[in-house]
Amino acid sequence: MIKEYLKDILLFLKSSNFYKGVLQTSAVIIPLIVFNSFGHISYAIPIAIGVFLNIPGNIPGTLKRKIYSTLISIVLTMTVTLIISFAKHNFALLLFTIAVLSFFISLISAYGFRGSLIAFCGLLAIVLSLVNRNTDLGIWAYVGLIGLGGLWFLLVLGISHWIAPKKDEDQLLSETLRITGSYLKIRGKLLLEKDKREQLLIRTLKLQTELNEKHEILRELLLSERKQIGRSHFDEKRVLIFISLIDILELALANTLDYSKIDVIIKDRDVLKQFKNLNTTMGNHLQVLSKILMNKKKVQNKNELLDGLAVIEKTIQKYILSVALPAGREGILTLRNLQDYQEQQVTKIRAIRRVMNNVTKDKISFKDKEASQFITTQDYSLQIIARHFTFKSPIFRHALRLTVAIIIGFTFGTLVGIKNPYWIVLTLIVLMRPSYGLTRERAINRIIGTVIGAIFAVAIIFLTSNTIIYMVLAAVSLVIAFSLLQQSYRSAAAFITINVIFVYALLEPNSLAVVKFRVLDTFIGAVLAVIANYTLWPSWEFMNLNPTLVNSINKNKAYLTAVSKIYFTKETRNLEYKIARKEAFLAISNLNAAFQRMTQDPKSKQKEMQLIYEFVSLNNTFLSALASMGGFIQNHNTTASSENFDAFITHIENQLENAETCLSENKTAVIKEHKKIETAEMALKSSFTTLSNQRDQQIKEGQHKIDLEMRLQLQEAHLITNQLTWLKGLSEDIYRNSLKYSQLFIDKS
C-alpha cells in the first residue's frame, strides 16, 4: 500500500499540473525576491498581482492560443484595475462600476471555456482592485506594473513551453488512457451486474463525456500544427496513440448490447464472466500504460491480453458443445460478435503498446486540410455576445445573477464592518456557475477545504512562530494549490487557505484573526452563492435541454447517412464518415453533460426526469447501434447494399426528421419515400433464415466445422438485420418521446 502511494506521489510530481504549479508559483515569487533584495518591494507587489491575475487562463492548448488569450486578459485586467481604482473614492460610484463591469465581463464566457477563464481573470481584477494598497505608487504606475507582471508571466509561459513543449500532451494522453481503462472495466460489469445496470450506465455516460472533452483538447494540441507531424517521431507517436484511443471508444460504444436480451439468450453466467474478465484485463492494461507514459518506463507484457483471448475462444467452443442447434445459434453468433469486438480492442491496445515501445512502422495518412476539419473552432465575433443578450440565455441570466450577488455581498460586508469584504466577492466569483448543482457542489467543497486548511494552519501557528517555516509553507502550499485546481477543488481550496493564512502571518502579528475572517467570509460567500443561484432568475437544466436534444438527433441522423454511404461504397477510409462520427460523439457528450447537470438540480426542479432519462438513453443507444454497424462495415468484407437496407435507412431518417421537427419551433419535416418497411423487414429476416437453413443442412451432411465465409455471412446477416431492426425501433421511440417532450415543455412555453 505504501509503495503504491509513493508511486502515485511520484507520478503527481512528474505531471503537467505540478509542472505548471511550480512555474506559476515561481512567476509570482521571483519578482518579490528580486525587488525585495534591492529594497523596492512596493514595485514587486503589483507585478506579482499581474502574474496572479493572468494565471487562470493557463490551460492546455496551443502556444498561439495561450499567447493571444493571455494578451487579452492582460489588457482586460489592466483596464478593470484602472477603472476600479478611480471609482473607489465614492462608494455609490464604486458599486455602480462593479455592477457594470461584472455584468459585461461575465458575458465573455459566451466564447467557450477559454472565454470563461478570461472573464474570470477580469472578475478577479475587480476583487484585487478592492484591496487597500499600502503603497506610494500612483494609479497609472500601479496599473502599468500589473501589465508588466502579465507580460512577465507570458515570458514564463514561453520559456516553459520551450523547456517542455509536450508536457500537456503527455498529461492529457495519460489521463485519457486511464479514463478509457475505467470505461472498459465498467462496460464489462454491465454484462453481469443486472441489479446495478442503471447506476453503471449513468457512470458510463459521465466517463464518455470526460473522454470526449479530453479528445477535443487533444485534437487541438495534436492536429492544429500539422507541419510538425512527419518530421517529429514523438509527434507521430502521440497522434497514433490518440487515434487508437478514439477507435477504442468507438468500438466500446459499438458494443453496447441489448443487455436484457442477452440475459434471455445466454443463461450461463460463467460464459459472460470470461468476457467481463477480459474487459477488466484490457482496462487495467490501459491504466498501467497511462502511468508508463508519464514515467517513461518499459511497457508491460502482452501475455495477459493474449491469454484472455485464448480463454474466450475456449469458452465459446465449450458453449457450442453445451447448446443445441439451431436453437442456440443466436447465442453463439452474439458471443462471436462479442469476441470479434474484444479481438479488435486488444489489437488497438497492442498498437498503443507498440507505439510506446518504438516498434511500430505505422504512419499518419491524413493530410493537413483533412486534419483541420477535425478541430472544433470557436467563433469570436461580437454576434456571439449579441445572440446571448436575451433573458432566455443561461449566460445572460448567470451574468445578471452574479452581478446582483456581488453587489449584495460587497455591500453587506462593508456595512457590517467585515475586515475584508472583498473576500466575500472573491468567493462568489470562484463558486458561482450557470448551473445550480455545480455551484452548490463547489460551495460545499470550498467550505470544507477552507476549514481543513484553516485547522492545519492554526495548528502550525500554535506549534511555531518561525517565519522561515511560514515562508516555506506559503510557497509549497501555493504550488500544490495551483497543481490541484483542475483535479480536486476541495484540496486546492485547502492549500489556498493555508497560503493566505501564512502570508498574513508574515505580515500581521494577529494572524489568528485572519483565520476567523477567512472562514467567516468564505461561509457567507458560499451561502450567498447557493441562495442566489436558487432564487435569482434560476436557469434549471430542463429549461435549456431542448437545443441539445435537437443537436444530438441531428448529428445522429448525419452519422446514419455516413454509415449507409460506406456500406454502399465500401470506402472504409471515408473522411466524411469520420467527421460525422466525431460530431455525433460530441453532440451526445454535450447531451450527457446536460443530463448530469440536471441530476444535480433540486428534486423539485427535475421536471419529467424519467422521460428525459429515457430520451438521453435512447439517443445514446442509437449512437451505439450506429457505431456498431459502422465498425462492422469498416472491419469486414460486407455484401452489397440492397433495396431493403435502403428502405430501413430512409425510414429511420424519416423518424429522426419528424423528431427534430417536433422539438424545433420553425422546422418542417422533409419526408422521403421508400419501400414499405414491413416488407423490407420480412425480406431481411428471410435472408438470415435462408443462411441459417443452409448451415443446418451442412451440419446434417456432417460438416460440423463452419467455414469462414459462411460464418462471416451469418454474422453480417445477424448483426445488420438486428441493428437495423434495433435502430428502427429506437428511432420510432425517439419520435414518440419527442412528441411527449414537446407537449410538456415546448407547447407550454
Side-chain angles (χ1 to χ4, degrees):
M1 180 65 76
I2 295 175
K3 189 176 180 181
E4 289 298 316
Y5 186 67
L6 291 174
K7 283 183 179 178
D8 288 339
I9 292 176
L10 183 62
L11 198 63
F12 172 72
L13 295 176
K14 291 184 177 181
S15 69
S16 170
N17 293 322
F18 183 75
Y19 178 68
K20 285 194 293 186
V22 171
L23 286 170
Q24 289 165 176
T25 303
S26 300
V28 172
I29 291 175
I30 287 173
L32 295 172
I33 295 173
V34 171
F35 279 87
N36 186 56
S37 64
F38 289 101
H40 296 293
I41 191 67
S42 59
Y43 294 133
I45 292 173
I47 292 175
I49 290 173
V51 174
F52 192 76
L53 286 174
N54 292 283
I55 280 174
N58 184 22
I59 59 170
T62 61
L63 181 61
K64 182 179 177 181
R65 286 202 180 188
K66 284 185 178 182
I67 291 172
Y68 285 161
S69 62
T70 304
L71 287 173
I72 292 169
S73 68
I74 289 170
V75 173
L76 178 63
T77 52
M78 289 177 68
T79 304
V80 168
T81 304
L82 184 65
I83 294 171
I84 294 292
S85 297
F86 279 117
K88 281 173 69 173
H89 305 292
N90 183 292
F91 188 71
L93 178 62
L94 178 61
L95 285 181
F96 175 78
T97 305
I98 291 173
V100 173
L101 288 175
S102 298
F103 178 74
F104 284 101
I105 290 172
S106 298
L107 287 178
I108 298 174
S109 59
Y111 292 113
F113 184 56
R114 196 174 289 276
S116 68
L117 292 176
I118 293 174
F120 181 75
C121 292
L123 293 169
L124 191 59
I126 294 176
V127 176
L128 294 185
S129 299
L130 296 173
V131 180
N132 292 321
R133 294 189 283 113
N134 298 320
T135 175
D136 295 329
L137 291 171
I139 292 175
W140 289 99
Y142 184 81
V143 172
L145 288 170
I146 283 178
L148 183 62
L151 293 174
W152 157 245
F153 177 64
L154 190 59
L155 176 63
V156 172
L157 277 182
I159 294 171
S160 69
H161 183 80
W162 176 69
I163 294 171
K166 304 301 178 183
K167 197 79 174 176
D168 282 343
E169 293 173 13
D170 286 345
Q171 179 73 44
L172 282 163
L173 279 173
S174 175
E175 290 173 2
T176 308
L177 281 163
R178 177 181 56 80
I179 298 170
T180 304
S182 299
Y183 182 68
L184 289 183
K185 289 197 282 189
I186 294 176
R187 300 284 297 208
K189 290 179 181 179
L190 284 167
L191 285 167
L192 289 174
E193 300 183 21
K194 292 191 286 186
D195 297 335
K196 298 180 180 178
R197 270 189 191 141
E198 189 168 328
Q199 300 96 304
L200 290 172
L201 283 169
I202 290 174
R203 284 177 65 190
T204 61
L205 297 184
K206 187 175 181 180
L207 289 175
Q208 280 174 224
T209 302
E210 286 186 49
L211 284 172
N212 278 302
E213 288 172 355
K214 301 289 184 190
H215 289 174
E216 272 293 88
I217 302 171
L218 283 167
R219 281 190 188 96
E220 179 189 333
L221 286 171
L222 296 172
L223 303 181
S224 59
E225 298 178 359
R226 288 290 300 155
K227 290 182 181 179
Q228 295 181 7
I229 304 295
R231 290 187 297 188
S232 167
H233 175 61
F234 292 103
D235 288 331
E236 286 277 353
K237 284 177 60 177
R238 291 180 179 90
V239 175
L240 286 169
I241 293 171
F242 174 56
I243 290 171
S244 293
L245 286 168
I246 289 178
D247 288 341
I248 287 171
L249 178 60
E250 186 196 18
L251 282 169
L253 280 170
N255 188 50
T256 298
L257 303 167
D258 188 343
Y259 294 105
S260 58
K261 188 176 180 181
I262 296 291
D263 294 337
V264 174
I265 294 172
I266 303 171
K267 302 292 186 183
D268 189 348
R269 312 310 290 171
D270 288 335
V271 173
L272 295 176
K273 186 179 180 181
Q274 301 306 323
F275 286 90
K276 180 238 180 188
N277 290 344
L278 182 52
N279 256 50
T280 302
T281 300
M282 291 190 291
N284 289 334
H285 208 84
L286 286 172
Q287 290 178 334
V288 173
L289 287 174
S290 75
K291 295 180 180 180
I292 290 172
L293 183 67
M294 296 301 295
N295 288 326
K296 311 299 181 187
K297 293 182 180 179
K298 189 176 179 181
V299 177
Q300 77 269 44
N301 198 290
K302 64 186 178 184
N303 289 343
E304 275 189 336
L305 295 171
L306 298 179
D307 292 344
L309 288 176
V311 169
I312 292 298
E313 177 60 33
K314 289 178 183 177
T315 301
I316 292 176
Q317 293 298 335
K318 184 179 177 181
Y319 181 79
I320 291 171
L321 294 173
S322 68
V323 296
L325 291 172
R329 176 168 288 117
E330 190 169 9
I332 294 169
L333 288 172
T334 299
L335 293 178
R336 284 296 184 191
N337 285 329
L338 199 51
Q339 180 189 29
D340 282 353
Y341 151 75
Q342 291 192 323
E343 285 177 349
Q344 292 171 48
Q345 290 289 42
V346 169
T347 300
K348 297 298 179 184
I349 295 169
R350 291 183 66 192
I352 295 174
R353 291 182 72 263
R354 287 195 297 272
V355 171
M356 292 176 64
N357 270 333
N358 296 312
V359 295
T360 184
K361 294 182 180 179
D362 294 344
K363 295 292 181 182
I364 298 164
S365 59
F366 50 81
K367 301 175 183 177
D368 293 357
K369 289 183 179 179
E370 292 178 353
S372 64
Q373 294 184 59
F374 288 93
I375 302 170
T376 304
T377 56
Q378 173 68 55
D379 182 5
Y380 291 104
S381 67
L382 290 175
Q383 291 180 351
I384 299 295
I385 294 288
R387 283 203 293 269
H388 282 280
F389 220 85
T390 168
F391 208 74
K392 291 183 178 180
S393 167
I395 291 175
F396 181 89
R397 290 184 178 212
H398 170 66
L400 195 58
R401 187 187 309 123
L402 178 61
T403 300
V404 173
I406 287 172
I407 295 301
I408 292 173
F410 185 66
T411 304
F412 172 79
T414 303
L415 292 179
V416 301
I418 289 177
K419 186 176 181 181
N420 299 312
Y422 56 84
W423 273 355
I424 298 175
V425 180
L426 177 62
T427 302
L428 287 169
I429 68 169
V430 168
L431 297 185
M432 287 188 70
R433 294 293 182 271
S435 163
Y436 167 82
L438 185 56
T439 299
R440 184 183 62 182
E441 181 185 351
R442 288 175 68 86
I444 292 170
N445 286 331
R446 176 80 175 191
I447 291 172
I448 294 172
T450 300
V451 170
I452 292 172
I455 291 171
F456 175 83
V458 169
I460 297 297
I461 289 170
F462 275 122
L463 288 173
T464 180
S465 57
N466 190 313
T467 55
I468 300 297
I469 292 176
Y470 289 177
M471 282 190 286
V472 171
L473 287 174
V476 171
S477 61
L478 188 60
V479 171
I480 299 175
F482 283 146
S483 305
L484 293 175
L485 270 174
Q486 300 298 323
Q487 293 176 289
S488 172
Y489 181 68
R490 180 182 297 183
S491 301
F495 283 103
I496 288 171
T497 300
I498 293 169
N499 172 263
V500 170
I501 290 171
F502 282 124
V503 167
Y504 271 88
L506 291 168
L507 300 174
E508 294 186 16
N510 188 15
S511 55
L512 291 178
V514 175
V515 176
K516 179 180 69 175
F517 286 117
R518 173 74 179 174
V519 174
L520 177 63
D521 292 347
T522 298
F523 181 78
I524 293 171
V527 171
L528 182 57
V530 174
I531 293 173
N533 260 71
Y534 191 89
T535 59
L536 299 176
W537 313 285
S539 187
W540 308 116
E541 203 58 43
F542 76 89
M543 299 163 60
N544 310 311
L545 198 62
N546 191 61
T548 312
L549 277 171
V550 171
N551 188 52
S552 178
I553 293 170
N554 180 269
K555 297 305 181 185
N556 272 345
K557 188 173 66 175
Y559 188 24
L560 173 68
T561 303
V563 169
S564 65
K565 186 174 180 179
I566 65 166
Y567 191 61
F568 178 75
T569 63
K570 311 303 178 188
E571 293 179 15
T572 56
R573 292 184 175 272
N574 189 290
L575 179 63
E576 183 183 339
Y577 168 82
K578 292 179 180 179
I579 293 173
R581 177 185 67 181
K582 171 225 168 186
E583 291 182 348
F585 279 20
L586 288 178
I588 208 70
S589 175
N590 291 333
L591 180 60
N592 293 340
F595 178 74
Q596 291 294 325
R597 291 193 297 270
M598 185 176 175
T599 61
Q600 295 175 323
D601 284 343
K603 294 290 183 183
S604 61
K605 305 302 179 182
Q606 296 176 12
K607 304 292 185 182
E608 298 296 333
M609 185 66 168
Q610 190 57 42
L611 173 64
I612 292 173
Y613 173 68
E614 186 179 344
F615 216 153
V616 172
S617 297
L618 284 170
N619 278 278
N620 273 276
T621 308
F622 188 92
L623 177 62
S624 299
L626 264 182
S628 176
M629 195 160 68
F632 185 87
I633 293 167
Q634 283 191 305
N635 293 291
H636 296 82
N637 292 322
T638 54
T639 57
S641 175
S642 66
E643 184 183 13
N644 299 313
F645 177 87
D646 295 339
F648 263 92
I649 296 297
T650 305
H651 175 81
I652 296 165
E653 285 178 336
N654 286 343
Q655 295 299 310
L656 296 180
E657 181 77 14
N658 284 327
E660 197 179 343
T661 304
C662 276
L663 299 172
S664 305
E665 296 178 4
N666 302 310
K667 188 177 186 301
T668 304
V670 179
I671 305 302
K672 301 176 185 175
E673 294 292 330
H674 60 82
K675 182 179 177 180
K676 195 173 181 182
I677 192 64
E678 291 79 10
T679 306
E681 192 168 5
M682 287 177 63
L684 279 180
K685 288 181 179 177
S686 175
S687 175
F688 176 66
T689 303
T690 301
L691 284 170
S692 297
N693 290 337
Q694 288 178 14
R695 176 57 189 147
D696 291 340
Q697 186 61 36
Q698 288 178 354
I699 294 171
K700 287 179 182 178
E701 293 172 357
Q703 187 181 337
H704 294 287
K705 186 175 181 180
I706 188 171
D707 63 78
L708 183 59
E709 184 180 356
M710 173 60 76
R711 176 184 156 186
L712 291 176
Q713 285 181 1
L714 275 168
Q715 278 185 269
E716 180 186 352
H718 179 260
L719 185 137
I720 296 297
T721 301
N722 280 355
Q723 296 303 97
L724 286 175
T725 305
W726 197 13
L727 286 167
K728 170 183 169 290
L730 289 168
S731 65
E732 291 167 352
D733 288 341
I734 288 171
Y735 176 43
R736 278 192 290 270
N737 275 44
S738 299
L739 286 170
K740 292 179 188 176
Y741 185 90
S742 64
Q743 290 167 1
L744 288 166
F745 295 108
I746 299 174
D747 295 345
K748 292 181 180 180
S749 59

